[in-house]
């Protein structure tokens, strides 16, 4: 097991869980909804923004989609979180007897959703290292990312909620993005 395994399969979920642990169930549940909404928005608009940048600076082509995806995600999440905090100023508690159990459920839920989004976004990552590419082809992050992509992007597109009327193929998306990163690395080595 390489460094990529320890960082993305062990370390990242522990860090995400630790960040969400101090929040109550209601806050974690709202964060899950915001993550899903903002990730869907960022996925849909990142490619358009990346194409505009690539027209002006084609040498950045491997990096722009990933950077735009995260830039749009962070901006939309911060705005949505600000609005959400104004609308829901007080945490909803389930009663002292159930608080701890519900807080753990909310923490686990947010960890899974955010980890799924991160794994899905890693498909468009510009990292072409062989160990990373192998992990993203057949490792835990690949499986989690494909499940997340299927539920958040693929399912709505198969129900007719897509631009151009085509359903989204997560496997094809993952293959093309991972191959693009490896081609970029192989091109730089020459």
């Amino acid at each position: 097991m390489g460094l990529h395994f320890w960082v993305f399969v062990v370390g990242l979920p522990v860090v995400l869980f630790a960040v969400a642990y101090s929040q109550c169930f209601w806050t974690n549940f709202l964060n899950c909804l915001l993550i899903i909404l903002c990730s869907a928005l960022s996925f849909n608009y990142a490619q358009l923004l990346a194409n505009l940048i690539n027209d002006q600076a084609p040498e950045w082509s491997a990096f722009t989609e990933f950077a735009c995806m995260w830039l749009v995600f962070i901006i939309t999440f911060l705005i949505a979180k600000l609005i959400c905090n104004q609308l829901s100023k007080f945490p909803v508690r389930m009663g002292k007897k159930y608080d701890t159990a519900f807080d753990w459920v909310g923490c686990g839920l947010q960890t899974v959703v955010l980890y799924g989004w991160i794994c899905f976004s890693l498909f468009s990552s510009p990292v072409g290292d062989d160990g990373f590419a192998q992990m993203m082809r057949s490792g835990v992050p690949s499986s989690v990312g494909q499940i997340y992509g299927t539920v958040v992007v693929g399912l709505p597109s198969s129900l007719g909620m897509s631009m151009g009327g085509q359903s989204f193929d997560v496997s094809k998306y993952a293959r093309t993005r991972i191959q693009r990163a490896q081609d970029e690395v192989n091109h730089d080595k020459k």
Side-chain angles (χ1 to χ4, degrees):
M1 289 183 261
L3 176 64
H4 299 296
F5 174 83
W6 290 107
V7 170
F8 291 105
V9 177
V10 178
L12 185 59
V14 169
V15 168
L16 295 175
F17 189 85
V19 168
Y21 182 72
S22 65
Q23 301 169 9
C24 70
F25 173 79
W26 181 245
T27 303
N28 283 328
F29 180 73
L30 290 176
N31 285 341
C32 286
L33 295 178
L34 293 177
I35 290 166
I36 291 169
L37 173 67
C38 294
S39 66
L41 286 171
S42 67
F43 174 78
N44 285 314
Y45 291 105
Q47 189 62 50
L48 299 171
L49 184 57
N51 288 341
L52 291 172
I53 293 170
N54 290 340
D55 289 343
Q56 301 300 317
E59 65 275 3
W60 294 357
S61 64
F63 180 70
T64 52
E65 183 180 0
F66 182 73
C68 290
M69 195 180 292
W70 274 97
L71 179 68
V72 173
F73 175 79
I74 289 169
I75 290 170
T76 56
F77 184 81
L78 290 175
I79 291 169
K81 186 68 178 165
L82 184 70
I83 293 168
C84 189
N85 286 344
Q86 290 300 314
L87 295 173
S88 179
K89 294 184 189 251
F90 304 104
V92 175
R93 306 308 290 177
M94 305 298 175
K96 292 184 183 190
K97 187 175 181 180
Y98 303 107
D99 279 350
T100 306
F102 275 99
D103 290 351
W104 278 84
V105 168
C107 181
L109 184 65
Q110 181 177 332
T111 300
V112 168
V113 169
L114 187 54
Y115 184 67
W117 160 240
I118 291 170
C119 290
F120 179 71
S121 73
L122 287 176
F123 289 132
S124 65
S125 167
V127 179
D129 177 65
D130 288 335
F132 182 81
Q134 184 61 34
M135 178 189 72
M136 289 311 295
R137 279 195 184 99
S138 62
V140 171
S142 173
S143 301
V144 173
Q146 289 202 20
I147 291 168
Y148 187 85
T150 300
V151 172
V152 173
V153 181
L155 183 62
S157 74
S158 67
L159 297 173
M161 294 181 234
S162 67
M163 291 188 214
Q166 293 180 320
S167 62
F168 177 71
D169 184 2
V170 179
S171 299
K172 181 180 175 188
Y173 174 78
R175 275 193 314 274
T176 58
R177 296 316 190 262
I178 293 168
Q179 189 60 49
R180 179 181 68 190
Q182 283 198 300
D183 290 345
E184 193 77 23
V185 167
N186 293 336
H187 183 306
D188 289 342
K189 286 180 182 176
K190 292 179 182 178

